[in-house]
Structure formats: structure tokens, C-alpha cells
């Protein structure tokens, strides 16, 4: 797994030269959200499609 600094370097290299600071902030935000989500899934587990459909069934029925 890359360090945060390595991830930022890689992200900056992939962005166009004329990107704005707002573009960079957005990409940093998304990168951190993805990193947190993957960590949470690793520690707490995930649900299968069938489990999700079962849990949502009561909300989706009219």
C-alpha cells in the first residue's frame, strides 16, 4: 500500500497541467474517501448483492 505522500504525488502527476487548486482539493477529498471506505470494508466486512436487496426490500415495497 502506498503512503499518503506517494498517493498525492501520483495523483498530481495524473492531473492536467492547467488544473486548479479546487480540482486538486476535490481529488484529494475523493482519494481520502476511497481510502477510508476500503479500510472500513476490510475491517467491518461487506455485504453481498443478495444481502443488500434483502435489507432494502422493506423500503422499496410500496
Amino acid at each position: 500500500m502506498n503512503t499518503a505522500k506517494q498517493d498525492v504525488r501520483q495523483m498530481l502527476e495524473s492531473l492536467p497541467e492547467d488544473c486548479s487548486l479546487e480540482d486538486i482539493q476535490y481529488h484529494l477529498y475523493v482519494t481520502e474517501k476511497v481510502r477510508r471506505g476500503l479500510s472500513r470494508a476490510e475491517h467491518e466486512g461487506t455485504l453481498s448483492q443478495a444481502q443488500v436487496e434483502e435489507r432494502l426490500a422493506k423500503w422499496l415495497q410500496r
Side-chain angles (χ1 to χ4, degrees), residues 10-36:
Q10 187 176 23
M11 180 212 47
L12 287 172
E13 290 298 321
S14 71
L15 291 173
E17 289 298 320
D18 63 346
C19 70
S20 67
L21 286 175
E22 190 173 87
D23 294 333
I24 294 169
Q25 287 176 318
Y26 171 76
H27 282 80
L28 286 171
Y29 171 81
V30 170
T31 299
E32 179 58 20
K33 288 294 185 179
V34 169
R35 184 186 288 243
R36 284 184 189 179

Side-chain angles (χ1 to χ4, degrees), residues 45-56:
T46 59
L47 299 173
S48 69
Q49 180 71 29
Q51 289 170 312
V52 171
E53 289 175 3
E54 184 179 319
R55 288 184 180 195
L56 291 176

Side-chain angles (χ1 to χ4, degrees), residues 33-45:
K33 288 294 185 179
V34 169
R35 184 186 288 243
R36 284 184 189 179
L38 291 172
S39 176
R40 185 174 178 187
E42 186 178 307
H43 290 97
E44 297 178 21

